[in-house]
Amino acid sequence: MSRDPTATEAEDGGQELGPRSVRSPDPQAEQNMLGGAPGRPAVGRGPTSGDTFERHDYDHPAAGWGAVRSVGHVLIHEREAFEGPRSLFKMNHEDGGFDCPGCAWPDDQEGLHLDICENGIKHVSWEMTRKRVDRRFFAAHTVAELCGWSDFDLEDQGRLTEPMSYDEASDRYVPIAWADAFALVGSNLRALTSPHEASFYTSGRLGNEATFLYQLWVREFGTNNLPDCSNMCHEASGRALTAALGTGKGTVDLTDWDHADAIFVLGVNAASNAPRMLTSLAKAHRRGAQIVHINPLVEAASRRTIVPHEILAMATLHTTKIGDLNVQPRIAGDLALIRGMAKAVLEAARTDPKAIDSDFIERHTSGFDSYRDLCHSTAWTALERQSGVDEKTIRRLAEVYLRAGRSIVSWCLGITQQEHGVDTVREIVNLLLLRGNLGREGAGPCPIRGHSNVQGNRTCGIDHRPSASFLDRLAQVCGIDPPREFGLDTVGTVEAMHSGQVKIFVGMGGNFALAAPDTKHTYEALRNCALTVQVSTKLNRSHLVHGRHALILPCLGRTEKDRQRAGIQGTTVEDSMSIVHMSVGMKAPASRHLLSEPAIVAGMAEATLPGSSTPWREYVEDYDRIRDTMAKVLDGFEDYNRRARQPHGFRIRQPARERVFLTGSGRAEFSSAPLPDAVPPPGRLILTTIRSHDQWNTTIYSNDDRYRGVKNLRTLVFMNHLDMRERRLGDFDLVDLTSIAKDGTRRTVYGYRAITYDIPAGSAAGYMPELNVLCPIGDYSSQSDQPLMKHLVVEISPSRPAGGET
């Protein structure tokens, strides 16, 4: 029998700890739940599965005909050869279209007819599939059996069609009426000793209206246990920007991207994570802007592209450059790199006073003197060692910045999922403040959010640490008495479920079991609950890793028509640049039994709070009523209904964009963080988890990663050739990866394939969610509380046989 590739080892003697059973499924089923068999694709069956795999250098442009071919395969696989293409003309359109449920990149503001991308089409086609998971499917398969299926196979079965309840006697999900499902939720919540014994998770796909109702229900119930996916992605950005500028969001919009002289892109693979960003990068290059990519891996989006909606370019294969300079710091070396740029700028200011904006610094900032002294006192040798980049290259970066009249710095999870993510984002702000690159056209900080409405979730109240002013307004407008103590975030929720403190888990969208860190520990935590409730569109792992009682509540997708008593309803979303706009579905629902997310929230709320004066049913009848209430509670949402229906919606006002800083000093704050040690200990590497191109969050479309030249393989680790040589490894050799937690415990995955890649020595990379098992639940940033999914200390060694077996 093969060794489990994601089994964990205790530090004392290397004893293997098996995962906790659902209903004692066979060992292979449990093995599949934690990542697949050694050396085999973790997603199992699928469009590219099999025993053969390969890797080659990818030298084609990002997007272009490769994207078109990929989209065609997906449309055929999902049997959407007609509806799929028709949806392209409705997605991201102001005239009654629906917002892409994929990334949060802003919609084009110039009337682009095909404001789409490869991954957006995959995401929509995955949702619009004609395949169905109905009661007959669940009658035919036990949960123990389904535990042995791959994650690709689970989601590939199609759309959920009716509410289901777990039956322990048969180990199957069985149909349940909506009213009975809501009653089960309500009775279990009311039976708790304290409201804090329940936790309510939110995925980024939830629309603003459902988000507001969700947090209203939870707070009227009596807790702020509102973990969300931001706790695992951009929490560091929000905390850093709030401390520095008084706002938790970036300050730029697409117009600024069109006027920047230099754009710095840090820690993001845009071609896969925000593909429509390629259009903005191509436009920037054509007008002469300098584009710099800073990332341990040189990605396809840092070189050139063919934008698919540019018909002439597609016909002539004309490519556009989307990167002028690639710089590869070591993992977690970004702070040192940015500080080096700032040091070079301040050195230039000694002979050229115009190198910094002294007037801006004097009028609008605080802490400059301390920061300047810190930069001057930091030796170049320390900056080179910690960043992994030589002084000459850092000075070249600074020269690009100095020559640019207006600069944007953008970043994603490669920056935030580190121990020092908050300090790194604040260092980015420091660099921008030096030259007054804030509050003027073409300049500012720009976090690149991942999921479609993850920023809107936080704006509309999903926050385990709500402000007193928000709670005051909520109490005044909605007539409730919200709790004031902070609640649990994602890591806190997992720990509380594991210890028995939290007994009920409700998940609005997403796939929590796979998205959270420390997979084995998270599985045990979910199974320790009395009740788990998952609101979903498709079958996924979180439905199989469940509590003693479990509900699957299927909801409408964003592409589908949402018909309520007042007619077809639209929902609003907020993109990563604070634009709020309307989204209206176009397709008939996958099943007549589906309910909208607001209707599901309201149903659970009514059953939980029978004496509530909140007009839950009236809200669901007409979403305008929800928005009218939101307009009274949320800053910047005044006249919400009218403004949301304007072409392109409206932008939420951000005082920092106007150089009004809601900080303690009333100024933008320089920070003076110490330089962290980013060099791995001897014999160890720093591992970052990444997504493949054929993947969206935990949804895996195939085992391929086109832009990195990988075919039919996910259980792999990318390594520098020097690190491979030191361990006497050749390409595709089997290796074991062991993470070393802060508390000394170890977690090991076995039988992965080592692949030589262009990545700095001392750094390595592999795919999530498979490698989430290596991220200890206790290893989270002391600054942001984010799991360190891109900052794991690991040992990599040739695979060793289990019990003498190969």
Side-chain angles (χ1 to χ4, degrees):
M1 178 178 171
S2 301
R3 181 190 287 267
D4 181 349
T6 53
T8 59
E9 288 187 352
E11 186 180 29
D12 51 344
Q15 180 182 3
E16 295 180 18
L17 304 176
R20 181 176 174 181
S21 171
V22 179
R23 247 183 76 96
S24 61
D26 63 62
Q28 183 64 48
E30 279 289 270
Q31 178 172 291
N32 285 346
M33 291 182 70
L34 291 177
R40 298 290 297 273
V43 298
R45 292 185 290 124
T48 59
S49 65
D51 292 327
T52 61
F53 45 80
E54 62 183 70
R55 195 255 160 190
H56 59 273
D57 290 335
Y58 186 86
D59 57 3
H60 302 289
W65 286 108
V68 173
R69 285 191 293 271
S70 177
V71 165
H73 290 318
V74 171
L75 292 176
I76 292 171
H77 181 76
E78 296 303 328
R79 308 172 195 168
E80 285 297 344
F82 173 72
E83 285 290 344
R86 191 169 78 91
S87 71
L88 307 187
F89 295 93
K90 284 291 186 180
M91 187 162 63
N92 301 324
H93 272 253
E94 64 190 72
D95 53 345
F98 62 89
D99 189 72
C100 175
C103 80
W105 190 255
D107 295 345
D108 178 78
Q109 304 291 302
E110 299 177 358
L112 185 65
H113 291 296
L114 284 173
D115 188 19
I116 55 175
C117 71
E118 174 186 355
N119 277 4
I121 298 170
K122 289 178 184 175
H123 202 97
V124 168
S125 301
W126 201 244
E127 179 178 292
M128 293 174 62
T129 180
R130 295 176 183 271
K131 304 171 189 176
R132 299 291 181 263
V133 177
D134 55 19
R135 61 177 63 189
R136 291 174 297 179
F137 173 88
F138 286 110
H141 305 287
T142 65
V143 167
E145 176 196 346
L146 293 174
C147 284
W149 289 26
S150 72
D151 296 295
F152 173 88
D153 290 330
L154 292 174
E155 292 202 37
D156 191 45
Q157 300 312 302
R159 290 289 301 278
L160 297 161
T161 61
E162 61 182 314
M164 307 296 292
S165 175
Y166 179 68
D167 176 61
E168 184 177 11
S170 64
D171 189 35
R172 286 175 169 83
Y173 277 98
V174 297
I176 185 173
W178 277 109
D180 294 336
F182 293 151
L184 181 64
V185 174
S187 62
N188 275 269
L189 286 172
R190 291 196 307 274
L192 295 175
T193 303
S194 164
H196 304 309
E197 293 179 343
S199 197
F200 303 82
Y201 175 76
T202 308
S203 166
R205 58 152 286 146
L206 194 64
N208 286 338
E209 292 75 15
T211 295
F212 185 80
L213 290 188
Y214 191 50
Q215 65 82 33
L216 180 60
W217 165 43
V218 172
R219 292 192 165 106
E220 186 171 351
F221 177 59
T223 185
N224 283 313
N225 288 350
L226 284 161
D228 66 346
C229 52
S230 282
N231 298 151
M232 296 183 280
C233 56
H234 269 290
E235 191 73 38
S237 297
R239 295 193 187 185
L241 292 172
T242 298
L245 306 176
T247 176
K249 305 175 183 180
T251 64
V252 306
D253 60 19
L254 280 184
T255 301
D256 293 313
W257 278 69
D258 290 339
H259 290 87
D261 301 311
I263 298 172
F264 296 84
V265 184
L266 282 74
V268 60
N269 177 18
S272 297
N273 300 348
R276 287 187 294 151
M277 181 179 168
L278 300 180
T279 302
S280 294
L281 293 175
K283 289 168 63 177
H285 170 77
R286 289 168 186 154
R287 59 177 176 76
Q290 291 290 294
I291 304 169
V292 178
H293 294 268
I294 299 172
N295 198 335
L297 290 79
V298 176
E299 303 283 18
S302 66
R303 297 188 289 262
R304 53 199 174 96
T305 188
I306 300 177
V307 180
H309 62 252
E310 296 178 352
I311 305 302
L312 182 60
M314 289 288 287
T316 61
L317 301 181
H318 176 73
T319 65
T320 300
K321 194 175 181 182
I322 50 176
D324 297 289
L325 181 62
N326 270 295
V327 177
Q328 296 174 264
R330 67 169 79 250
I331 294 171
D334 310 273
L335 192 154
L337 180 72
I338 299 298
R339 182 159 297 169
M341 291 176 64
K343 180 178 176 71
V345 168
L346 288 166
E347 289 177 353
R350 289 173 172 172
T351 57
D352 178 11
K354 294 183 179 179
I356 62 174
D357 191 338
S358 298
D359 181 65
F360 173 85
I361 291 171
E362 177 67 27
R363 294 176 58 187
H364 296 292
T365 74
S366 175
F368 169 70
D369 291 343
S370 296
Y371 181 67
R372 177 193 57 202
D373 294 344
L374 177 65
C375 288
H376 286 326
S377 65
T378 305
W380 276 108
T381 53
L383 295 170
E384 287 182 309
R385 174 172 167 76
Q386 295 304 329
S387 68
V389 180
D390 61 85
E391 178 183 347
K392 181 179 179 181
T393 300
I394 297 175
R395 288 188 179 278
R396 185 180 175 190
L397 285 171
E399 188 62 29
V400 172
Y401 184 60
L402 283 165
R403 289 179 179 177
R406 297 167 290 192
S407 294
I408 288 173
V409 181
S410 62
W411 68 91
C412 199
L413 305 192
I415 298 298
T416 62
Q417 288 183 329
Q418 305 175 11
E419 169 62 45
H420 303 282
V422 172
D423 284 345
T424 304
V425 174
R426 294 206 64 179
E427 197 72 21
I428 289 170
V429 174
N430 288 344
L431 182 67
L432 291 168
L433 294 179
L434 287 177
R435 291 179 52 77
N437 277 310
L438 191 73
R440 59 193 180 96
E441 190 175 60
C446 182
I448 300 170
R449 307 284 182 177
H451 218 151
S452 170
N453 197 42
V454 62
Q455 186 160 300
N457 293 162
R458 187 58 64 90
T459 299
C460 296
I462 301 300
D463 191 349
H464 67 287
R465 308 193 322 166
S467 68
S469 60
F470 170 77
L471 295 178
D472 289 344
R473 290 193 301 273
L474 190 68
Q476 179 183 5
V477 173
C478 298
I480 68 170
D481 183 18
R484 300 289 169 156
E485 61 270 37
F486 288 170
L488 298 172
D489 63 2
T490 294
V491 169
T493 290
V494 173
E495 288 288 66
M497 290 191 297
H498 200 275
S499 69
Q501 176 188 342
V502 163
K503 298 175 174 59
I504 295 178
F505 176 86
V506 180
M508 287 296 296
N511 189 353
F512 187 84
L514 285 189
D518 208 338
T519 311
K520 172 181 174 291
H521 192 82
T522 295
Y523 282 9
E524 292 172 350
L526 287 165
R527 291 174 180 156
N528 200 35
C529 289
L531 172 66
T532 52
V533 181
Q534 303 286 349
V535 179
S536 311
T537 56
K538 302 188 80 173
L539 186 65
N540 66 45
R541 186 66 58 189
S542 294
H543 304 135
L544 311 181
V545 184
H546 57 74
R548 290 186 291 280
H549 300 282
L551 290 171
I552 300 174
L553 304 182
C555 64
L556 294 172
R558 195 175 290 174
T559 61
E560 293 170 322
K561 294 178 181 177
D562 181 356
R563 187 180 299 277
Q564 303 297 339
R565 178 168 292 185
I568 297 294
Q569 301 295 305
T571 59
T572 56
V573 294
E574 178 185 347
D575 64 32
S576 63
M577 297 184 192
S578 303
I579 303 291
V580 178
H581 56 279
M582 191 73 73
S583 175
V584 182
M586 56 164 277
K587 197 174 185 291
S591 165
R592 62 187 177 87
H593 300 295
L594 301 183
L595 294 182
S596 70
E597 289 160 328
I600 293 173
V601 172
M604 291 190 292
E606 282 190 311
T608 307
L609 307 164
S612 172
S613 61
T614 300
W616 301 107
R617 294 191 185 186
E618 288 81 358
Y619 279 149
V620 174
E621 289 173 353
D622 187 347
Y623 297 173
D624 279 358
R625 296 168 182 164
I626 308 174
R627 288 186 283 268
D628 284 340
T629 300
M630 295 170 71
K632 299 173 184 176
V633 175
L634 304 175
D635 286 334
F637 280 69
E638 300 80 10
D639 197 15
Y640 190 6
N641 272 305
R642 182 189 65 81
R643 295 165 68 207
R645 288 180 167 87
Q646 296 175 146
H648 307 299
F650 65 93
R651 194 177 200 280
I652 302 172
R653 177 179 176 267
Q654 290 176 280
R657 184 176 170 85
E658 302 164 14
R659 297 188 170 180
V660 175
F661 303 106
L662 304 180
T663 61
S665 67
R667 292 167 172 259
E669 299 281 354
F670 278 95
S671 64
S672 297
L675 198 66
D677 187 1
V679 180
R684 295 174 178 175
L685 306 175
I686 303 298
L687 175 75
T688 179
T689 61
I690 57 177
R691 294 194 319 212
S692 75
H693 181 64
D694 225 6
Q695 174 182 355
W696 183 252
N697 295 337
T698 58
T699 295
I700 299 166
Y701 302 115
S702 82
N703 295 344
D704 300 340
D705 189 355
R706 187 172 80 249
Y707 289 148
R708 298 188 183 102
V710 174
K711 184 77 171 177
N712 201 29
L713 182 64
R714 288 189 59 83
T715 49
L716 59 78
V717 58
F718 295 117
M719 299 175 63
N720 179 275
H721 68 99
L722 296 176
D723 295 324
M724 296 269 284
R725 183 189 306 168
E726 181 180 332
R727 291 158 179 79
R728 298 181 180 180
L729 296 173
D731 272 335
F732 298 110
D733 281 357
L734 291 171
V735 295
D736 300 338
L737 288 78
T738 298
S739 65
I740 297 87
K742 292 179 180 179
D743 64 4
T745 58
R746 293 169 173 251
R747 291 155 179 78
T748 298
V749 294
Y750 300 94
Y752 273 55
R753 299 283 178 177
I755 294 179
T756 306
Y757 203 80
D758 186 4
I759 188 171
S763 299
Y767 298 130
M768 62 80 67
E770 290 88 344
L771 289 180
N772 286 359
V773 71
L774 293 181
C775 184
I777 193 67
D779 280 18
Y780 52 86
S781 168
S782 60
Q783 301 179 349
S784 67
D785 300 320
Q786 283 188 233
L788 302 181
M789 292 174 171
K790 296 190 185 298
H791 197 173
L792 300 173
V793 178
V794 299
E795 295 174 352
I796 299 179
S797 59
S799 276
R800 53 189 174 87
E805 297 177 349
T806 59

